[in-house]
Amino acid sequence: MAGKKRLKNSRYITGFDGLRAIGVIGVILYHLMPYTFTGGYLGVPIFMVVSGYLITDLLVQEWEQNQWINLKSFYLRRVKRLYPGLITMLFATGAYITLFQREMLQQLNQIIITNILYVYNWWQIGHGQSYFDRFANNESPFTHLWTLSIEGQFYLIWPFIVVALIIGLKNKNRIAQVLLAVSVVSAIWMAILYQPNADPSRLYYGTDTRVFSILLGAALAFVWPSTALKQKIVPKQRLVLDGIGLVSVLSLVWLMVKLNAESSLVYRGGLFLFSALVCVLVAVVAHPGADWNRLLTNPVFNWLGKRSYGIYLYQFPVMIFFEIIFKNIADHPVLYPVIEVAIIFGLTELSYRFIEQPLAHYPYKQLWHQLKQFMHQPHWNRVVGRVTGLAIVFLIGLVGAFQAPFQPAPDTHKSALAVNIKQNQKANQKRKDALIKKAKAQNKAGQANGPTSKAEKAAEAAAQKHPINQEFEKYGLSQVTIQRAQNISVTAIGDSVLLDGSQALQKLFPNMLVDAAVGRQLYQSIQIVKDYDQKQALSDTVLVSLGTNGAFTQEQMAQFMAAIGTKRKVYWLNAFVPTRPWQNDVNQTLKNATKQYPNLTVIDWYSQAAKHSDWFYQDKVHPNPTGVNEYAAIITKALAAK
């Protein structure tokens, strides 16, 4: 006899699996190729809106049917649905780290505990973790779990809030208005906290700044309950619903292609607008009289939608560990992502079949009895084998978690690269004020770069007759080139690669002001250029070394070049980042930009660097002492050429 249906009128809306499929596809594409699929991160609000609608709709149905909500049953269903996959992923990843990536071991215990308690997003905020710095050392395979914590917090408190709203306000339209108002407050709070040219991870992770997506779905559930929607509607109404669905789909796809995660528009209403459009589409899909539920229902979407939770769980660990093993990511922009997706799907299918589904329906009341029975009559079968294998994985992960507090942090600050960068930072800071004053004085006097006076030309002619100073021999440059470099004023803006080579560059260019920082990206540099220009300290020659930490849009490049102006010469090193997928995007963008900006010259660092693996530290990106000399020489030849 079939089990009694918990809610008499509930419907399983298959089109929601299609929405989940679209969401998870977007997220995976964004994490694999963040600068090709720039808006893929918007898959997360799709999950949030759908969750807000479904959970609220079911709670309201239960209240209307029984005049109460069985909290124990609600939480047990959530735990059985979510915890088996999450805990398995946490400990399996912890086991891999314990065995093969021990430099990631520190804080593993805190990561596991905060994820189990669903407060990991606040832990990330408290520890200053960036969602957008994909070039960070020891990038965490757990970064993406912030959204699960927000949803977990929602599940924990939402039944109580629903009951309070129903009892207190009674009218569903009024309840929806309250939820809509709170969601608007959340979106406004995000806009208030947003700071241009700063890392927006705090806003991205925060429950307070992301809850509007869930609340929009929840508000919809009160005014658009799935059980009250009629299947039989007149053709005109069907056309209107389908038309609204089409407009919302096209708008969502356009935003998922165009809306860059680092754009100010995202945090000043963009995410809210996207969530509102998702809410509209959810309403159309939920209506049995429209066609969008059927259009989003197919075997591929059903498979992806039902497994979207597992796909989301395993995507980041697979990507992080894969990219640690295979360093030449940029050389295989299609093959490697395909392999990564195949691994993610394989792990997800195993998790779905053998962990998530069995444990979601397992009668836990029988557990103790079955354990006692096995102890009395032990026998080996597939189930026992699976349990034993999982137990070993959990044990290794647990050992790593216990070792984590005693694991010293990776001694990156004492590596040769780190020491060099730190020394250069200090040296640059001491020189900066003096060089700014000098640049101001030169700009006021109208002094141009390069040898223009008769005296300077005479010095250049004399330089041709004298031997090269021994200090400069290692650069392989002519005396004339060195002499010209000594007289050029340069403002250099860049990231850690420029910082790595700054000491050598400033020997060749004593009038070079270097402003470089670890992890810097182009969008953070626009204001820096504007500040130097405002101080009258921006030289006529600008050197740019940006692109190591991520690609940039044409709009960002346009803003950057506009800040520099058309009268200055801009020399931009293209990127050599073979371990990251955006290397080719950066270099193609720069190549195209030379056609648009006559004052832009691209220095081809990539072609030279790709031929000499011996020029680099272990990360294959930052030049070692030999590479630094070559880096400085290539730049000098470009800037000091006649």
Side-chain angles (χ1 to χ4, degrees):
M1 183 173 126
K4 184 181 178 183
K5 193 175 179 182
R6 189 176 65 85
L7 297 174
K8 296 175 184 178
N9 300 318
S10 63
R11 299 165 47 215
Y12 185 82
I13 303 169
T14 53
F16 286 164
D17 283 333
L19 287 177
R20 292 190 186 98
I22 293 170
V24 80
I25 289 170
V27 170
I28 285 183
L29 290 176
Y30 174 72
H31 287 152
L32 284 172
M33 293 172 277
Y35 299 100
T36 301
F37 299 95
T38 55
Y41 66 96
L42 292 168
V44 171
I46 294 177
F47 288 117
M48 289 182 165
V49 174
V50 171
S51 291
Y53 178 79
L54 280 176
I55 294 299
T56 307
D57 189 47
L58 291 171
L59 289 171
V60 173
Q61 283 184 50
E62 186 173 359
W63 177 267
E64 291 181 341
Q65 177 179 296
N66 305 323
Q67 294 303 301
W68 70 298
I69 293 174
N70 188 332
L71 293 175
K72 179 181 177 182
S73 175
F74 173 82
Y75 290 125
L76 281 176
R77 289 195 304 274
R78 293 293 93 202
V79 168
K80 291 170 72 174
R81 167 73 180 86
L82 300 174
Y83 268 94
L86 175 63
I87 292 175
T88 301
M89 174 267 175
L90 288 171
F91 281 91
T93 305
Y96 186 93
I97 289 171
T98 303
L99 295 175
F100 306 112
Q101 298 292 149
R102 293 189 65 83
E103 67 274 11
M104 294 183 177
L105 199 58
Q106 195 190 42
Q107 299 179 328
L108 178 63
N109 58 327
Q110 297 178 37
I111 291 170
I112 290 175
I113 291 170
T114 52
N115 270 290
I116 291 174
L117 296 176
Y118 284 132
V119 292
Y120 181 59
N121 63 319
W122 291 110
W123 185 90
Q124 289 173 296
I125 292 170
H127 286 75
Q129 293 198 348
S130 174
Y131 184 78
F132 301 97
D133 187 2
R134 289 295 312 273
F135 195 71
N137 290 325
N138 302 322
E139 186 182 7
S140 172
F142 305 102
T143 299
H144 63 308
L145 299 181
W146 65 272
T147 183
L148 301 186
S149 287
I150 291 178
E151 295 222 23
Q153 294 159 30
F154 168 68
Y155 297 143
L156 181 63
I157 66 171
W158 195 240
F160 297 99
I161 294 176
V162 167
V163 172
L165 288 171
I166 292 174
I167 294 174
L169 297 179
K170 297 181 177 64
N171 184 282
K172 289 185 178 181
N173 289 332
R174 194 176 301 165
I175 293 172
Q177 291 168 5
V178 169
L179 295 178
L180 180 60
V182 177
S183 70
V184 170
V185 170
S186 172
I188 292 173
W189 180 235
M190 171 181 273
I192 291 171
L193 292 181
Y194 175 74
Q195 296 180 4
N197 305 318
D199 189 317
S201 294
R202 157 66 182 92
L203 312 180
Y204 203 81
Y205 289 142
T207 307
D208 53 340
T209 51
R210 296 304 298 268
V211 74
F212 57 79
S213 298
I214 296 176
L215 292 178
L216 285 172
L220 178 66
F222 279 100
V223 295
W224 198 263
S226 63
T227 55
L229 304 174
K230 297 178 181 179
Q231 186 165 1
K232 293 182 179 180
I233 56 177
V234 299
K236 186 176 181 180
Q237 291 174 326
R238 179 186 293 271
L239 284 173
V240 170
L241 283 172
D242 288 346
I244 292 172
L246 179 61
V247 171
S248 62
V249 165
L250 293 176
S251 301
L252 291 172
V253 170
W254 186 82
L255 288 171
M256 290 184 79
V257 171
K258 295 292 185 179
L259 202 56
N260 189 293
E262 292 153 5
S263 167
S264 61
L265 178 61
V266 172
Y267 307 98
R268 290 174 171 170
L271 275 170
F272 184 83
L273 172 63
F274 185 87
S275 300
L277 288 169
V278 174
C279 201
V280 171
L281 184 57
V282 166
V284 174
V285 172
H287 201 295
D291 291 305
W292 277 98
N293 183 50
R294 178 175 53 83
L295 291 172
L296 291 173
T297 301
N298 59 68
V300 174
F301 277 8
N302 290 347
W303 189 91
L304 288 169
K306 290 181 184 299
R307 291 159 180 78
S308 59
Y309 180 61
I311 293 171
Y312 190 87
L313 281 174
Y314 285 101
Q315 54 165 326
F316 235 63
V318 169
M319 293 174 192
I320 299 302
F321 297 142
F322 186 92
E323 292 175 8
I324 288 173
I325 296 170
F326 297 93
K327 298 291 187 181
N328 56 339
I329 299 296
D331 293 337
H332 301 279
V334 176
L335 176 62
Y336 281 1
V338 169
I339 294 173
E340 290 177 72
V341 169
I343 296 171
I344 293 166
F345 283 3
L347 288 174
T348 297
E349 184 64 18
L350 291 173
S351 175
Y352 184 80
R353 287 192 181 190
F354 301 117
I355 296 170
E356 295 173 49
Q357 284 298 298
L359 293 181
H361 302 97
Y362 179 74
Y364 286 90
K365 292 180 180 179
Q366 299 178 17
L367 178 61
W368 180 244
H369 173 73
Q370 290 177 346
L371 284 174
K372 288 197 299 183
Q373 190 177 32
F374 178 79
M375 296 299 294
H376 284 96
Q377 294 180 331
H379 59 281
W380 190 265
N381 55 35
R382 290 182 180 179
V383 174
V384 175
R386 291 173 197 161
V387 172
T388 303
L390 280 173
I392 292 171
V393 170
F394 273 77
L395 183 61
I396 296 172
L398 195 61
V399 168
F402 277 115
Q403 290 178 340
F406 309 103
Q407 180 75 9
D411 207 2
T412 55
H413 297 294
K414 292 186 179 180
S415 69
L417 172 61
V419 169
N420 182 51
I421 285 178
K422 192 172 183 180
Q423 289 174 344
N424 290 353
Q425 278 178 321
K426 288 183 178 179
N428 285 337
Q429 196 60 42
K430 289 180 180 179
R431 294 167 56 93
K432 192 176 290 186
D433 291 340
L435 286 169
I436 288 174
K437 289 180 181 178
K438 187 174 182 180
K440 282 183 179 180
Q442 288 176 340
N443 286 332
K444 286 180 181 178
Q447 182 176 332
N449 285 326
T452 55
S453 68
K454 291 182 179 180
E456 287 172 324
K457 288 180 180 179
E460 182 178 308
Q464 297 180 15
K465 301 176 182 179
H466 292 286
I468 296 173
N469 188 309
Q470 190 173 2
E471 182 183 4
F472 296 113
E473 285 182 356
K474 58 188 176 183
Y475 300 110
L477 299 168
S478 70
Q479 184 69 35
V480 173
T481 301
I482 294 170
Q483 181 66 39
R484 286 180 61 84
Q486 299 283 301
N487 295 321
I488 299 175
S489 294
V490 183
T491 303
I493 309 292
D495 49 37
S496 56
V497 174
L498 177 63
L499 199 53
D500 181 25
S502 62
Q503 188 173 6
L505 282 169
Q506 286 173 323
K507 285 180 181 177
L508 290 161
F509 295 89
N511 295 318
M512 177 181 283
L513 189 159
V514 176
D515 193 316
V518 176
R520 180 178 288 169
Q521 297 197 48
L522 179 64
Y523 74 92
Q524 299 168 314
S525 307
I526 298 168
Q527 189 60 46
I528 293 171
V529 172
K530 289 179 179 178
D531 290 342
Y532 279 120
D533 189 34
Q534 189 176 14
K535 294 175 183 175
Q536 295 184 325
L538 190 63
S539 299
D540 288 339
T541 300
V542 179
L543 175 67
V544 184
S545 179
L546 292 165
T548 305
N549 302 292
F552 36 84
T553 64
Q554 291 181 352
E555 180 186 356
Q556 290 169 337
M557 177 134 194
Q559 292 174 0
F560 186 78
M561 292 298 292
I564 293 174
T566 57
K567 295 182 180 180
R568 296 185 175 93
K569 295 179 181 178
V570 182
Y571 296 86
W572 199 316
L573 288 107
N574 60 13
F576 181 69
V577 202
T579 58
R580 293 295 185 268
W582 56 76
Q583 171 193 271
N584 301 337
D585 294 328
V586 170
N587 293 343
Q588 187 60 48
T589 300
L590 289 174
K591 183 179 178 181
N592 295 339
T594 56
K595 302 171 185 176
Q596 184 178 355
Y597 304 102
N599 62 327
L600 172 64
T601 299
V602 174
I603 302 174
D604 194 5
W605 167 240
Y606 166 79
S607 294
Q608 296 300 314
K611 300 173 186 175
H612 299 280
S613 59
D614 58 315
W615 285 3
F616 297 92
Y617 287 105
Q618 191 174 3
D619 68 356
K620 299 184 181 295
V621 174
H622 292 87
N624 58 27
T626 301
V628 160
N629 294 339
E630 301 295 339
Y631 175 81
I634 288 169
I635 292 171
T636 305
K637 287 175 184 176
L639 270 65
K642 284 192 176 180

